[in-house]
Amino acid sequence: IGRMKTRAATLAERLARQDAVIAELTGFKARALSRIAAQHDEITRLRREVQQAARVRRLPSATS
């Protein structure tokens, strides 16, 4: 019975550590996805700006 109690306590500690790691990794994943989404939005915005700038034509100067 003593061995079983010791084994159960060891397993409970191991499970608690694993739960902590899972929680930490879940938070990391959420932060990473948030950053990726923000970067995607920034890339999309910059692409739009480039496309709009490509549509702009320079007028000939008055001296030419």
Side-chain angles (χ1 to χ4, degrees), residues 58-64:
R58 290 186 180 221
L59 295 174
S61 64
T63 58
S64 322

Side-chain angles (χ1 to χ4, degrees), residues 32-61:
L33 288 174
S34 176
R35 288 178 185 158
I36 289 170
Q39 289 171 351
H40 174 73
D41 290 344
E42 179 70 5
I43 289 168
T44 303
R45 183 186 65 77
L46 291 171
R47 284 182 179 162
R48 257 186 273 128
E49 284 182 15
V50 167
Q51 287 175 348
Q52 288 173 355
R55 290 187 225 147
V56 174
R57 302 274 189 248
R58 290 186 180 221
L59 295 174
S61 64

Side-chain angles (χ1 to χ4, degrees), residues 6-26:
T6 303
R7 180 73 174 148
T10 302
L11 290 173
E13 289 173 10
R14 183 176 167 192
L15 182 61
R17 284 193 309 269
Q18 288 179 347
D19 286 345
V21 169
I22 289 170
E24 182 181 338
L25 291 174
T26 301

